[in-house]
């Protein structure tokens, strides 16, 4: 457990808000977004469902003054992997998004990468290890 810096908590909160909005959009607007981006509706809806759980975890971390360092590091690594995976998806041929879909995937990949970087910086700025009670 570590003392979470204000910077880390704000980076986690921003990620939770972004992810929560995306979750709601992908769950309730999967059909519309599938048409708009030429992406599979199931992919969008399942991504939204995953993001509900992710938002809950990251929001919980953001609300804590003391956080498990390993879980925050897992969030950072997960965000970095999501960024790489999103770009890899475009090159994989598994999906055939239109230009709007490609731009959306790239934009969210960049945003997720920025969150990973901000959270990593926040983790480095966080306080010392707190002994478990």
């Amino acid at each position: 457990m570590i003392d979470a810096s204000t910077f880390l908590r704000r980076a986690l909160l921003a990620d939770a808000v972004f992810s929560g909005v995306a979750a709601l959009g992908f769950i309730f607007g999967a059909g519309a977004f599938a048409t708009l981006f030429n992406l599979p509706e199931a992919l969008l809806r399942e991504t939204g469902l995953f993001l509900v759980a992710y938002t809950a975890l990251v929001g919980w971390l953001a609300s804590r003054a003391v956080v498990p360092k390993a879980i925050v590091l897992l969030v950072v690594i997960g965000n970095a992997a999501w960024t790489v995976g999103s770009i890899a998806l475009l090159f994989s041929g598994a999906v055939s998004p239109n230009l709007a879909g490609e731009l959306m995937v790239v934009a969210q990949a960049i945003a997720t990468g920025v969150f990973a970087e901000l959270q990593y910086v926040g983790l480095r700025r966080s306080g010392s290890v707190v002994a478990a009670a």
Side-chain angles (χ1 to χ4, degrees):
M1 302 292 279
I2 58 168
D3 287 320
S5 67
T6 300
F7 189 91
L8 174 60
R9 292 176 68 197
R10 287 182 180 162
L12 290 166
L13 180 60
D15 189 3
V17 169
F18 179 83
S19 297
V21 169
L24 292 174
F26 287 155
I27 290 169
F28 296 110
F33 284 130
T35 301
L36 179 63
F37 299 133
N38 198 39
L39 287 167
E41 185 174 341
L43 172 66
L44 296 173
R45 185 167 286 109
E46 290 166 12
T47 299
L49 292 171
F50 167 79
L51 288 174
V52 169
Y54 178 79
T55 297
L57 172 65
V58 177
W60 177 79
L61 288 170
S63 73
R64 316 308 304 166
V66 177
V67 296
K69 183 177 182 179
I71 294 177
V72 174
L73 191 55
L74 183 63
V75 168
V76 172
I77 292 167
N79 277 336
W82 186 286
T83 298
V84 172
S86 295
I87 301 305
L89 177 66
L90 293 178
F91 288 104
S92 72
V95 295
S96 300
N98 57 22
L99 180 59
E102 289 176 356
L103 292 174
M104 185 277 297
V105 171
V106 169
Q108 66 80 32
I110 291 169
T112 305
V114 168
F115 286 133
E117 179 65 23
L118 292 173
Q119 292 158 353
Y120 180 73
V121 169
L123 192 57
R124 292 182 48 94
R125 290 185 181 181
S126 291
S128 58
V129 173
V130 177

